[in-house]
Amino acid sequence: IIAGYKDFLWDSIFERISKFSQDDCDICIASSGKYVDELSKIAEKNDWSYLSIKRNNVCLVQNIVIDRFPKAQLIFKIDEDIFITENTIDSLLNTYELVSKNEKYSVGFVAPLIPINGYGHVRILEKLNLVDYYEEHFEKVKYIAGPNRMIENNPQVAKFMWGEDGVIPNIDELSSTFRSTPFEYSVCPIRFSIGCILFERATWEDMGMFRVERFGSGMGADEVQLCSYCVTKSKAMIVDENTIVGHLSFGTQNGPMKDYYLANKDSKAFSF
């Protein structure tokens, strides 16, 4: 769990992880560029691990964490602004196993549906028959990731996807609904925002680990490297359509969405 910079979310994020993770998972909170005593205490309370490094580089910290757990063959990477739901872990593992063994694809990683995501928001709108509604109120629906799209730059779109208007159910209700449907997955054909993914250690090793540049925080570089690896190595980016996780916001949405979260953290939108 990459964390250290959005402390206002930690109560919700870590409560969900504590409640919905499996007993046989080793959980490590990792901080890049700082040591946070509160995170160390959260880890100790839950019998997890805490690792911090002095340099602020997300590629480096992930390499170190994976290296420190040499027996871990399957790895979940979760960002500190991701709200997992009840069936997230089980569903991703199930999808990974079924697709790896029975389908036509070589799996690069498996991810859940994420409402605030260039790919995930389209699939959710399609499943809920809300494409026309979204296009009437916001913009043309397309499978596109990037800061020029409203799903990544408009706070009102973020609030809409979090259920502010009551049009879209909250993430726990959505995940429960999708969990009750037959097994379904899709293959993401565009850059995928990797806030919550499951991948094999062998994938990380075949990549030569995440490349760490001499300068910079590496923010987003892990995503570029992993998505590029999947395309060039013919590894499919599999999206599990039987589970939902929440992603608070992107970039210019962050300030307004922090205020929105703090004003509504005890509502059905964020609590369970």
Side-chain angles (χ1 to χ4, degrees):
I1 306 160
I2 309 300
Y5 294 88
K6 295 183 178 179
D7 56 344
F8 63 96
L9 291 175
W10 292 345
D11 285 348
S12 294
I13 299 303
F14 291 120
E15 182 181 8
R16 285 176 175 270
I17 290 172
S18 177
K19 184 175 179 63
F20 297 142
S21 60
Q22 296 182 335
D23 291 338
D24 60 352
C25 287
D26 278 321
I27 297 176
C28 180
I29 304 172
S31 296
S32 176
K34 60 169 61 177
Y35 170 84
V36 184
D37 189 57
E38 183 180 352
L39 291 176
S40 180
K41 290 177 179 176
I42 290 171
E44 183 177 10
K45 175 184 175 182
N46 289 281
D47 197 27
W48 301 341
S49 303
Y50 177 59
L51 181 146
S52 67
I53 63 172
K54 290 183 178 180
R55 182 178 173 188
N56 184 13
N57 187 284
V58 294
C59 294
L60 178 60
V61 76
Q62 289 178 84
N63 287 342
I64 293 173
V65 171
I66 296 170
D67 181 69
R68 294 294 178 90
F69 290 84
K71 294 183 180 180
Q73 298 305 308
L74 291 174
I75 298 161
F76 290 94
K77 177 261 189 183
I78 302 173
D79 289 343
E80 64 183 329
D81 59 356
I82 294 291
F83 296 67
I84 71 169
T85 53
E86 183 175 3
N87 68 321
T88 299
I89 303 299
D90 285 339
S91 191
L92 292 180
L93 287 168
N94 180 63
T95 297
Y96 164 80
E97 181 177 6
L98 290 177
V99 175
S100 296
K101 291 182 177 180
N102 302 319
E103 300 297 320
K104 301 185 293 290
Y105 300 102
S106 176
V107 177
F109 62 81
V110 178
L113 279 174
I114 308 174
I116 301 179
N117 174 279
Y119 178 80
H121 82 290
V122 179
R123 292 297 298 132
I124 290 168
L125 292 171
E126 289 175 338
K127 285 173 171 287
L128 298 178
N129 296 313
L130 289 173
V131 170
D132 290 343
Y133 183 97
Y134 185 93
E135 292 185 339
E136 179 182 347
H137 290 80
F138 302 113
E139 66 179 344
K140 179 72 175 176
V141 170
K142 291 187 176 183
Y143 290 110
I144 302 177
N148 60 319
R149 299 293 294 174
M150 285 190 179
I151 193 63
E152 294 193 24
N153 68 29
N154 189 312
Q156 289 308 123
V157 171
K159 293 175 185 178
F160 169 77
M161 297 305 292
W162 273 103
E164 181 184 44
D165 302 325
V167 177
I168 293 183
N170 68 60
I171 57 171
D172 297 293
E173 292 173 349
L174 269 182
S175 199
S176 178
T177 297
F178 292 172
R179 176 177 56 188
S180 66
T181 62
F183 173 69
E184 184 177 12
Y185 71 91
S186 58
V187 180
C188 177
I190 65 170
R191 173 174 173 168
F192 191 88
S193 300
I194 59 170
C196 179
I197 56 171
L198 168 65
F199 59 99
E200 287 189 70
R201 182 183 206 86
T203 296
W204 173 76
E205 292 173 340
D206 192 50
M207 289 175 60
M209 304 183 293
F210 291 109
R211 186 175 65 256
V212 180
E213 300 294 346
R214 185 175 178 183
F215 302 105
S217 68
M219 186 66 68
D222 55 341
E223 180 174 300
V224 170
Q225 292 174 37
L226 184 56
C227 290
S228 298
Y229 167 85
C230 287
V231 172
T232 57
K233 293 289 187 177
S234 297
K235 302 285 187 178
M237 296 178 281
I238 301 295
V239 178
D240 175 353
E241 302 207 350
N242 295 111
T243 187
I244 295 276
V245 304
H247 170 224
L248 185 65
S249 55
F250 282 103
T252 55
Q253 298 168 330
N254 285 342
M257 286 306 295
K258 176 181 178 180
D259 294 337
Y260 181 73
Y261 167 78
L262 291 174
N264 296 278
K265 62 183 296 186
D266 297 323
S267 71
K268 286 180 63 178
F270 297 104
S271 62
F272 58 90

